Amino acid sequence: MSKTETDGGRDQEDLGAAGSQLSTAPREDTASAPGLGVIGWARWFWRQLTSMRVALLLLLLLSLAAIPGSLIPQTAADASKVEDFRTAHRTLGPLYDKLGLFHVYSSVWFSAIYILLFVSLIGCIVPRTWQFVGQLRGRPPGAPKRLTRLPAYTTWRTEADPERVREAALDLLKKRRFRAHVAGDAVAAEKGYLREVGNLVFHIALIVLLVAFASGQLYKSDGTKLVVEGDGFSNTLLMYDDFKSGSLFGNDDLVPFSFDLKQFTGTYETSGPNKGTPRTYEARIAYREGAYGKEKSTTVKVNEPLKIDDSKVYLVSHGYAPVVTVRDGKGKEVFHDAVPLLPLDGNVTSNGVVKVMDGYRSPQGKAEQLAFQALFVPTFDAKSGTMLSQFPALANPLLAVNAYHGDLGVNSGIPQSVYQLDKKHMTAFKDAKGQLLKKLLRPGQTMKLPNGAGSITFEKDVKEWAGFEIVQEPGGGWALGGAFAAIAGLAGSLFIQRRRVWVRAVRGADGVTVVEMAGLGRSESAKVPEELGRLADTLYDRAPGAPEPDDDSTETSAVPAEGAEK
């Protein structure tokens, strides 16, 4: 029996149907110019658009086009940063506006690339799928006339009948999961169809990803809400502190649910080089799905959101809300609430404003509004000499306040931040020395306003607040499934090789059967001759070799393999 031969340089032309349709890739049109007329140009443009080369080019362009969206502030993500960029860059700002670089993902040029890629993939998949279905419904092509022209080839002589050899070959190939049938004097077999399945799955998965990302951008919503312990949130537009959504998102698309923040718990490293580093952030909440859903309890942690339908509730921030009480000159309580303050550093040094908008009257009986700028440290260290917290937990809380009276401007119709103070129409309270009235308050202490104007008390209760981000992204499951399918399809198209095997058995002039085996793969690979060698070894056991003829014996009419044993 001869050894399996390989010759990467063999000419594979003139193989006919045997070498055709080893893939569903459309043939490249080598014509340099389209035919005359509108139809000719349309066909040429369509062939170019649906070619693999153009699809890869569009995919590269889409990746490059997404880069400005991550480097330049985007209006949909943070409009204030866009305004700051315009203010700081007087020349680039107007240019970026004209190019649509402040809203890359909704710009005309990005959408054009996206749509062209989508059309290119569909135009590539449809004919490939139709061609592959036709291949599955058909049979492997018959053996070419000269098997010696194939890259993997072997031959031997046997005394077994040709019919018996073909039956044994057919049985062997089917057991090895080849699609096989007898075609004339040879058995034709093919294997590796999953390569084309993987190729098609990969392309279809890309379309699924494109559709999922597009729907996610068009119908998404993203909002934030700061909730103090004991307060709650209902998923309606008015309840959000900040909210942005896709262009096709409607208020009715919000998933109906609500929750109450029962308790926030934060623990920190107490010693070592990582002192003050958070160990756990947990928000214990009670939530209800729908308007009349049953109350359920859960704990939301960092990177462990609460999932309700398409919405996810993430825990993203934390701070303190000192409870303060404000009274007027007659001792009447005009304000009592926990005031959330915004952290300034990792040890939760925080600042904010206490605004008294209704119910206060000056000693002269005039209706006014009060404001107190507040700086809070959860752990104050007198040795440091600064109002900077030394540890993020509530070890030694201290509240620094100063006071103003007048008009806060909240009735002007112009929106303003609850954490900032507009002093344009406010007057500062002065102490006996004519300086700005300010005082450091420990829990339970009170600062009195001059001339019987009232007081502010830092209560002993300090609540904590948690910042939540509520994200609604439809199509997330489709995007994840598409990503996994794309990886699986790509792996199949890369590691599975489609190949064909032919076994020809004919009787020579001396009455001895000549067996020829040949294999052909889509690309040159050592796997095809190795597999052919294993098949030949097994078939040789069923149809063992015959003794070599004498030198003066009649030559067989079969064509021997190049380099095969005689």
Side-chain angles (χ1 to χ4, degrees):
M1 174 180 176
S2 69
K3 297 180 180 178
T4 302
E5 297 180 358
T6 62
D7 186 357
R10 289 183 185 272
D11 185 11
Q12 295 187 30
E13 297 179 358
D14 301 328
L15 294 179
S20 66
Q21 297 182 346
L22 267 174
S23 74
T24 57
R27 293 184 177 89
E28 293 288 344
D29 191 354
T30 58
S32 59
L36 298 177
V38 176
I39 296 178
W41 278 103
R43 288 177 176 174
W44 178 84
F45 178 78
W46 178 253
R47 286 195 298 267
Q48 299 304 312
L49 180 61
T50 56
S51 66
M52 184 61 65
R53 179 176 60 254
V54 172
L56 292 175
L57 179 61
L58 289 172
L59 190 60
L60 175 62
L61 287 177
L62 189 68
S63 302
L64 295 176
I67 293 177
S70 59
L71 299 179
I72 300 173
Q74 299 294 294
T75 305
D78 195 334
S80 61
K81 286 187 177 181
V82 174
E83 292 301 323
D84 293 341
F85 187 92
R86 290 192 179 112
T87 303
H89 302 83
R90 297 294 184 181
T91 303
L92 288 178
L95 178 62
Y96 284 4
D97 268 326
K98 292 180 180 179
L99 296 177
L101 295 180
F102 290 128
H103 48 88
V104 168
Y105 305 112
S106 59
S107 63
V108 175
W109 51 272
F110 188 87
S111 300
I113 299 174
Y114 200 92
I115 293 173
L116 284 175
L117 177 60
F118 189 84
V119 174
S120 178
L121 288 173
I122 293 179
C124 185
I125 288 174
V126 172
R128 290 175 74 113
T129 303
W130 184 255
Q131 183 178 351
F132 184 59
V133 171
Q135 293 178 15
L136 291 178
R137 295 178 62 183
R139 288 184 170 187
K145 293 181 180 180
R146 297 181 61 189
L147 292 179
T148 56
R149 302 180 67 86
L150 298 182
Y153 174 80
T154 187
T155 183
W156 73 92
R157 291 157 46 88
T158 180
E159 294 180 348
D161 293 335
E163 293 78 7
R164 177 187 168 191
V165 175
R166 289 193 287 268
E167 290 176 1
L170 181 65
D171 180 66
L172 171 63
L173 290 168
K174 286 185 176 181
K175 286 183 178 180
R176 298 293 177 88
R177 299 190 300 277
F178 279 84
R179 294 180 64 210
H181 71 104
V182 178
D185 59 0
V187 176
E190 189 168 0
K191 190 177 183 180
Y193 288 91
L194 286 179
R195 177 189 180 94
E196 298 304 326
V197 173
N199 205 341
L200 293 173
V201 167
F202 173 73
H203 286 80
I204 294 173
L206 287 182
I207 292 181
V208 172
L209 283 172
L210 290 175
V211 173
F213 288 147
S215 63
Q217 290 295 318
L218 293 173
Y219 292 97
K220 75 172 183 178
S221 68
D222 189 347
T224 57
K225 178 63 179 178
L226 185 152
V227 183
V228 180
E229 288 177 327
D231 293 343
F233 168 79
S234 179
N235 195 26
T236 59
L237 191 59
L238 295 177
M239 291 291 291
Y240 283 94
D241 296 331
D242 179 58
F243 184 85
K244 52 184 177 291
S245 63
S247 57
L248 297 183
F249 184 87
N251 295 343
D252 294 337
D253 295 327
L254 287 171
V255 176
F257 68 89
S258 60
F259 67 84
D260 298 322
L261 177 60
K262 298 299 184 181
Q263 183 181 13
F264 179 89
T265 303
T267 60
Y268 310 90
E269 296 289 345
T270 57
S271 61
N274 295 324
K275 181 180 179 181
T277 302
R279 296 176 60 185
T280 58
Y281 274 168
E282 298 179 351
R284 185 169 60 85
I285 65 173
Y287 70 97
R288 293 159 293 279
E289 300 182 32
Y292 306 101
K294 183 180 179 181
E295 184 175 292
K296 304 176 184 178
S297 297
T298 189
T299 300
V300 180
K301 302 178 182 179
V302 178
N303 297 326
E304 295 183 19
L306 168 65
K307 299 178 183 179
I308 302 176
D309 292 339
D310 288 335
S311 287
K312 294 181 180 180
V313 181
Y314 291 91
L315 176 63
V316 295
S317 57
H318 154 258
Y320 292 101
V323 178
V324 299
T325 302
V326 179
R327 294 180 172 84
D328 62 14
K330 297 181 180 180
K332 177 185 175 182
E333 183 180 293
V334 294
F335 181 89
H336 177 81
D337 204 355
V339 181
L341 305 178
L342 298 181
L344 299 175
D345 56 29
N347 287 326
V348 205
T349 302
S350 309
N351 71 347
V353 181
V354 180
K355 297 182 179 182
V356 181
M357 294 179 285
D358 299 305
Y360 174 78
R361 289 186 176 275
S362 67
Q364 294 77 26
K366 180 182 177 181
E368 283 189 321
Q369 294 173 331
L370 298 179
F372 301 88
Q373 286 185 321
L375 181 65
F376 176 78
V377 290
T379 301
F380 176 70
D381 184 6
K383 296 180 179 179
S384 66
T386 61
M387 276 293 290
L388 292 175
S389 179
Q390 304 302 308
F391 194 72
L394 283 173
N396 185 23
L398 190 68
L399 182 68
V401 294
N402 52 43
Y404 297 84
H405 64 99
D407 183 9
L408 289 170
V410 294
N411 298 323
S412 63
I414 301 176
Q416 59 177 248
S417 172
V418 296
Y419 306 105
Q420 296 178 346
L421 175 61
D422 184 1
K423 303 177 184 177
K424 187 180 299 183
H425 303 289
M426 301 294 289
T427 302
F429 283 102
K430 305 291 183 177
D431 58 15
K433 297 180 180 180
Q435 302 294 322
L436 177 66
L437 179 66
K438 55 186 177 181
K439 189 174 182 180
L440 299 179
L441 301 177
R442 295 188 180 278
Q445 293 184 339
T446 299
M447 180 181 78
K448 292 186 176 297
L449 302 179
N451 303 319
S455 64
I456 178 172
T457 301
F458 176 22
E459 303 292 347
K460 295 182 178 180
D461 185 17
V462 178
K463 294 185 178 182
E464 299 190 49
W465 59 261
F468 296 94
E469 182 177 11
I470 298 90
V471 179
Q472 188 169 324
E473 289 182 326
W478 284 98
L480 182 61
F484 281 119
I487 294 173
L490 183 61
S493 64
L494 291 177
F495 298 110
I496 297 176
Q497 185 176 23
R498 190 167 171 188
R499 62 271 194 200
R500 289 172 180 158
V501 172
W502 292 276
V503 181
R504 174 174 284 147
V506 295
R507 193 179 298 278
D510 59 354
V512 179
T513 301
V514 177
V515 180
E516 292 181 287
M517 293 185 68
L520 177 65
R522 183 178 175 185
S523 59
E524 294 183 6
S525 171
K527 293 182 179 180
V528 175
E530 289 175 0
E531 184 175 34
L532 183 69
R534 291 192 294 269
L535 291 171
D537 287 340
T538 304
L539 185 59
Y540 187 84
D541 293 337
R542 301 185 184 183
E548 292 295 333
D550 297 333
D551 293 339
D552 57 351
S553 63
T554 304
E555 295 183 358
T556 62
S557 59
V559 179
E562 298 179 7
E565 295 179 358
K566 304 290 185 178

